[in-house]
């Protein structure tokens, strides 16, 4: 747009629901969908868009078709002749309401529109600032204070780990372009979306309208301030979690020192959750000299909540600073200014004793248990998204283990989870394996070592016999004292249940 700041551009009118509806019909009629884009562009060019690379998509849209014109107009920010889309789009309404502008017979979009496939095959559209629909936060190079991003990897990760049971009320805190509110609208009766940036609320309104979703209750403000003491069954937030020296960019920098914004958000969520409700966050946290990062995160968990915290990645402070300097395009500026900003990041980390930064997921579940369960772990390995059902089952198993002592475990029945395989590791030709590994091919895709008793136990768990009876049979088979075996095995059973290898069978 000729160097014009995104934040200074007027947005399309969100009050014209009829215009959004007619634009939606036109886009769907031209197959301007996630599947349509993949077919038109091809896998390579489509994947390049996620890396903020548009040249392959520009080459693939040189043709005369309506879909190619729409991709150039709404996704690649190219001008398109009026005549090329006159029979496809309701141009008069779009020009009047501000979705498009026209100059000398050439049309240009005022916002990015990106097709987005919903979890059940829905055709949705995410509306964001120009230049921010492709690639998400990865290297957009924007210095606009109020810029609103489209869909990035963090957005889809959060959407994938969220528990999707039907609820009465949901809160999307820091809604941005509205992707989490859009997902929540499919299974929540009421959706509230908040953001410190009023421009983001307008984008959320446009995203919901263009996707054919119900309207949300939109509120401006920071953290939980806009909702006061209201409580919810579901809270989701992809907050501005970047640990930075200052708050240059609203979409990423929290404006609090260190990881205080993420800590505050998590700690205050407990009081806003209804019993049994879930809160899901993406977060960054500091690895500080003299402190275990796991202990740091345990201290964030509010009273009355179970928690599952997963660290997915760790970067040393130089990697971290370089990542976010590139994100803002600072590496393409004056080298002296770049060096000064780099120094400022390192000064900030040095002052706080920070040696590295972790990234991951934090999930809370409100519980009335006297002793909540808090699991903090590192899992950098590939997982199978969406994980929402895996997350729900994890907390259900925590509740089960909390209410079953060792005697109850031995009296219980279990079955081996689907798609678990056994691997035996040892020297070729050896009579017995050195160790046995159980491996999942779904969900978290965990692997865990077990001894021969644990492997044998898991292998015969089909729900028909109690754990105690299975152990008695194994003891007789291997010539071991059944009392001793019953005494030492529940800890292994407990671990296999916690990690989802064994599932309790309700009698």
């Amino acid at each position: 747009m000729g160097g014009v700041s995104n934040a200074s551009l007027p947005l399309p009118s969100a009050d014209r629901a009829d215009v959004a509806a007619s634009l939606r019909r036109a886009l769907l009629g031209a197959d301007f969908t996630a599947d349509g884009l993949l077919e038109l562009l091809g896998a390579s060019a489509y994947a390049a868009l996620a890396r903020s690379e548009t040249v392959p998509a520009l080459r693939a849209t040189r043709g005369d078709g309506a879909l190619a014109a729409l991709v150039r107009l709404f996704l690649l920010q190219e001008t398109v002749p009026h005549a090329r889309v006159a029979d496809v789009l309701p141009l008069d309404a779009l020009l009047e309401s501000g979705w498009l502008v026209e100059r000398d017979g050439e049309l240009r979009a005022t916002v990015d529109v990106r097709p987005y496939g919903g979890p059940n095959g829905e055709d949705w559209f995410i509306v964001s600032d120009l230049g921010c629909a492709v690639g998400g936060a990865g290297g957009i190079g924007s210095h606009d204070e109020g810029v609103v991003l489209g869909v990035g990897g963090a957005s889809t990760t959060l959407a994938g780990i969220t528990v999707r049971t039907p609820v009465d009320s949901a809160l999307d805190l820091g809604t941005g372009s509205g992707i989490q509110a859009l997902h929540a609208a499919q299974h929540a009766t009421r959706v509230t979306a908040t953001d410190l940036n009023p421009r983001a609320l307008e984008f959320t309104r446009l995203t919901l309208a263009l996707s054919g979703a119900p309207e949300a209750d939109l509120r401006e403000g920071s953290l939980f301030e806009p909702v006061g003491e209201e409580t919810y069954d579901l809270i989701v937030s992809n907050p501005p979690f970047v640990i930075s020296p200052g708050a240059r960019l609203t979409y990423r920098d929290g404006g609090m020192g260190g990881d205080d914004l993420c800590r505050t958000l998590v700690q205050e969520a407990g009081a806003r959750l209804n019993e049994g409700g879930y809160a899901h966050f993406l977060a960054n946290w500091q690895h500080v000299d003299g402190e275990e990062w796991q202990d740091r995160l345990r201290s964030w968990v509010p009273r009355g909540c179970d928690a599952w915290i997963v660290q997915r990645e760790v970067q040393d402070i130089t990697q971290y600073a370089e990542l976010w300097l590139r994100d803002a395009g600072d590496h393409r500026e004056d080298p002296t200014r770049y060096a000064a900003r780099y120094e400022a990041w390192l000064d900030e980390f040095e002052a706080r004793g920070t040696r590295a930064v972790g990234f991951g997921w934090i999930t809370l579940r409100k519980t009335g248990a006297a002793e909540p369960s808090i699991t903090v772990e590192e899992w950098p390995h590939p997982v199978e998204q969406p994980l929402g059902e895996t997350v729900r089952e994890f907390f259900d198993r925590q509740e089960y283990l909390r209410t079953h002592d060792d005697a109850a475990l031995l009296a219980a029945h279990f079955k081996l989870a689907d798609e678990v395989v056994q691997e035996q590791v040892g020297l070729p030709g050896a009579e017995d394996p050195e160790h046995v590994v159980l491996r999942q091919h779904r969900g978290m895709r965990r692997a865990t070592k077990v001894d021969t008793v644990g492997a044998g136990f898991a292998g015969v768990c089909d729900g028909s016999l109690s754990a105690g009876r299975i152990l008695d049979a194994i003891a007789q088979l291997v010539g071991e004292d059944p009392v001793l075996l019953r005494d030492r095995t529940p800890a292994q059973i407990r671990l296999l249940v916690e990690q989802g290898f064994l599932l309790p069978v309700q009698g």
Side-chain angles (χ1 to χ4, degrees), residues 464-489:
S464 61
L465 297 176
S466 70
R469 290 190 61 186
I470 293 174
L471 290 178
D472 290 343
I474 292 175
Q476 184 175 10
L477 185 65
V478 300
E480 188 168 341
D481 185 336
V483 175
L484 294 178
L485 194 60
R486 278 174 170 256
D487 186 56
R488 69 178 175 85
T489 306

Side-chain angles (χ1 to χ4, degrees), residues 19-105:
V19 176
S22 61
L23 175 56
R24 174 176 173 79
R25 288 192 296 271
L27 296 178
L28 293 178
D31 206 19
F32 187 69
T33 64
D35 289 342
L37 255 66
L38 180 59
E39 183 175 350
L40 172 69
L41 302 180
S44 179
Y46 189 81
L49 285 178
R51 302 191 300 271
S52 302
E53 296 292 348
T54 59
V55 172
L58 287 168
R59 290 173 61 87
T61 55
R62 290 173 176 171
D64 296 329
L67 178 56
L70 295 179
V71 171
R72 283 182 163 254
L73 183 63
F74 286 114
L75 194 57
L76 302 177
Q77 281 77 66
E78 294 293 304
T79 58
V80 173
H82 184 288
R84 278 202 64 186
V85 290
D87 295 332
V88 181
L89 297 174
L91 290 182
D92 289 344
L94 295 179
L95 288 165
E96 180 186 353
S97 59
W99 287 89
L100 301 175
V101 293
E102 184 173 7
R103 183 176 181 181
D104 298 330

